[in-house]
Protein backbone atom coordinates (compact mmCIF):
# COMPACT_ATOMS: atom_id res chain seq x y z
CA UNK A 1 0.00 0.00 0.00
CA UNK A 2 1.38 3.41 -0.99
CA UNK A 3 1.38 6.26 1.47
CA UNK A 4 0.72 9.76 0.23
CA UNK A 5 3.99 11.49 1.15
CA UNK A 6 7.17 11.18 3.13
CA UNK A 7 8.02 14.40 4.92
CA UNK A 8 11.33 15.65 6.29
CA UNK A 9 11.80 18.93 8.13
CA UNK A 10 15.13 20.67 8.68
CA UNK A 11 15.48 23.59 11.08
CA UNK A 12 18.73 25.19 10.06
CA UNK A 13 20.37 28.59 9.78
CA UNK A 14 20.19 30.31 6.39
CA UNK A 15 23.88 29.65 5.78
CA UNK A 16 23.41 25.88 6.29
CA UNK A 17 21.58 24.92 3.10
CA UNK A 18 19.91 21.59 2.40
CA UNK A 19 22.09 19.76 -0.10
CA UNK A 20 21.84 17.02 -2.67
CA UNK A 21 22.79 14.21 -0.21
CA UNK A 22 19.77 15.06 1.97
CA UNK A 23 17.50 15.03 -1.09
CA UNK A 24 18.97 11.66 -2.17
CA UNK A 25 18.16 10.28 1.27
CA UNK A 26 14.60 11.58 0.99
CA UNK A 27 14.23 10.03 -2.47
CA UNK A 28 15.47 6.68 -1.13
CA UNK A 29 13.16 6.93 1.90
CA UNK A 30 10.25 7.71 -0.44
CA UNK A 31 11.06 4.64 -2.53
CA UNK A 32 11.58 2.32 0.46
CA UNK A 33 8.23 3.29 1.99
CA UNK A 34 6.49 3.22 -1.40
CA UNK A 35 5.30 6.80 -0.94
CA UNK A 36 3.96 8.72 -3.87
CA UNK A 37 6.13 11.77 -3.14
CA UNK A 38 8.78 13.11 -0.77
CA UNK A 39 8.60 16.65 0.60
CA UNK A 40 11.41 18.60 2.26
CA UNK A 41 10.48 21.58 4.44
CA UNK A 42 13.35 23.76 5.64
CA UNK A 43 13.91 27.00 7.50
CA UNK A 44 16.91 27.46 5.23
CA UNK A 45 17.42 27.21 1.48
CA UNK A 46 18.40 24.53 -1.05
CA UNK A 47 21.75 24.17 -2.78
CA UNK A 48 21.83 24.13 -6.58
CA UNK A 49 22.42 20.36 -6.45
CA UNK A 50 19.31 19.84 -4.33
CA UNK A 51 17.27 22.01 -6.73
CA UNK A 52 18.57 19.99 -9.67
CA UNK A 53 17.44 16.76 -8.00
CA UNK A 54 13.97 18.21 -7.43
CA UNK A 55 13.82 19.28 -11.08
CA UNK A 56 14.96 15.82 -12.19
CA UNK A 57 12.52 13.96 -9.93
CA UNK A 58 9.71 16.54 -9.87
CA UNK A 59 7.11 13.78 -9.84
CA UNK A 60 8.68 12.26 -6.68
CA UNK A 61 10.32 15.18 -4.83
CA UNK A 62 9.27 18.63 -3.68
CA UNK A 63 10.56 21.27 -1.28
CA UNK A 64 9.42 24.26 0.71
CA UNK A 65 12.27 26.62 1.59
CA UNK A 66 12.41 29.58 3.98
CA UNK A 67 10.81 32.04 1.57
CA UNK A 68 7.88 29.80 0.67
CA UNK A 69 7.43 28.65 4.27
CA UNK A 70 7.25 32.28 5.39
CA UNK A 71 4.69 33.04 2.67
CA UNK A 72 2.56 30.04 3.69
CA UNK A 73 2.67 30.95 7.39
CA UNK A 74 1.53 34.47 6.54
CA UNK A 75 -1.51 33.04 4.77
CA UNK A 76 -0.29 33.08 1.18
CA UNK A 77 -1.00 30.39 -1.35
CA UNK A 78 1.60 27.73 -2.10
CA UNK A 79 3.49 27.95 -5.39
CA UNK A 80 2.87 25.15 -7.84
Amino acid sequence: MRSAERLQCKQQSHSNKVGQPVMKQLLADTHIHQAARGLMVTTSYLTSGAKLMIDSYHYRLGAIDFDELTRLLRGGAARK
Side-chain angles (χ1 to χ4, degrees):
M1 180 176 182
R2 289 179 77 128
S3 61
E5 288 193 9
R6 296 298 292 178
L7 176 67
Q8 284 192 17
C9 299
K10 303 289 183 192
Q11 181 181 6
Q12 301 179 167
S13 66
H14 289 202
S15 61
N16 189 13
K17 296 180 179 182
V18 173
Q20 187 176 18
V22 174
M23 295 309 295
K24 282 184 180 180
Q25 178 205 12
L26 178 58
L27 182 62
D29 190 46
T30 301
H31 177 74
I32 289 167
H33 293 280
Q34 298 179 355
R37 188 169 164 87
L39 179 64
M40 173 62 62
V41 179
T42 180
T43 57
S44 183
Y45 295 97
L46 305 170
T47 64
S48 59
K51 290 177 185 177
L52 181 62
M53 276 205 67
I54 291 168
D55 289 343
S56 297
Y57 293 95
H58 65 275
Y59 61 97
R60 294 295 307 261
L61 291 175
I64 297 174
D65 68 4
F66 176 79
D67 292 338
E68 188 163 358
L69 181 60
T70 301
R71 185 173 31 261
L72 290 169
L73 291 173
R74 289 183 177 158
R79 288 184 283 174
K80 296 220 176 193

